[in-house]
Amino acid sequence: MSRIKRLERLSTEHGARDLMQRLIAAGRCTLEQLDNPPPGHINPATYRNLLRDPEHYAEPKVKLSEPRDFNPEPEPAEIPLPY
């Protein structure tokens, strides 16, 4: 498992969930402590513990490829040089 060497922005809920799991595994906090918003949270009513979300909401849902990504562009017909 790689360690974060500097503070990095978490761009997805999956990344935040991953970080929370590592904090619990390291013994820095408990799952119950993550149920309450941190002090100074802007809107405590919207806070939720991502580790208590069902798996299908927490995992990223990204289609890795589209068939159109693999359709090559038609090659242009060769144009003869004018000389």
Side-chain angles (χ1 to χ4, degrees):
M1 180 182 335
S2 65
R3 302 187 107 199
I4 296 177
K5 296 181 179 153
R6 57 184 161 63
L7 292 177
E8 295 178 3
R9 182 181 176 104
L10 298 174
S11 61
T12 63
E13 288 181 0
H14 180 68
R17 186 173 187 270
D18 221 18
L19 177 65
M20 292 164 69
Q21 286 176 332
R22 288 188 307 198
L23 288 171
I24 290 173
R28 295 183 183 248
C29 61
T30 64
L31 182 62
E32 290 75 25
Q33 288 173 324
L34 295 173
D35 286 335
N36 299 320
H41 193 273
I42 295 172
N43 190 356
T46 62
Y47 178 83
R48 70 183 205 269
N49 184 347
L50 294 174
L51 294 178
R52 298 233 189 247
D53 281 351
E55 287 290 321
H56 64 280
Y57 290 122
E59 297 296 323
K61 303 273 189 207
V62 178
K63 192 169 188 177
L64 296 178
S65 63
E66 288 281 336
R68 66 180 178 178
D69 294 339
F70 297 103
N71 290 339
E73 292 283 327
E75 292 188 22
E78 280 193 37
I79 301 173
L81 295 174
Y83 50 85

